[in-house]
Amino acid sequence: MEALFFLANVLFCLAYAVRNIMWLRTLTITASLCVLPYFYFRTEPLYSVLFWEVLFILINAYNLTILILEQRKVYLSDDQQRLHEQVFSSLTPREML
């Protein structure tokens, strides 16, 4: 259990060192998952800590999903492409849709 706790803290440190928000969220989720067994399998489980860690995991997972979805390529039909070029050229295709 101590090794998982140590690994979690190393991952938290790495998460704060990276500049890419997707990596930060991924490392934070992984670190929080490593911390869960440490606090659950104690002689007296720390349920308040477990609650907060699960909440942090859910929030980060939601935001990571949004980031991934926002990075998907947007495909425009021919009509939409023409409209984008003629009227909405100042917007990205995703903003136009």
Side-chain angles (χ1 to χ4, degrees), residues 74 76 80-97:
V74 173
L76 300 176
Q80 290 173 327
Q81 184 64 39
R82 252 185 270 107
L83 185 64
H84 179 258
E85 291 168 1
Q86 294 172 359
V87 181
F88 298 107
S89 60
S90 64
L91 301 176
T92 66
R94 183 173 305 281
E95 291 171 333
M96 186 187 93
L97 294 176

Side-chain angles (χ1 to χ4, degrees), residues 48-66:
S48 61
V49 174
L50 291 168
F51 168 79
W52 285 107
E53 287 299 327
V54 169
L55 185 62
F56 296 148
I57 290 168
L58 292 173
I59 291 168
N60 278 305
Y62 172 79
N63 284 308
L64 182 60
T65 302
I66 297 299

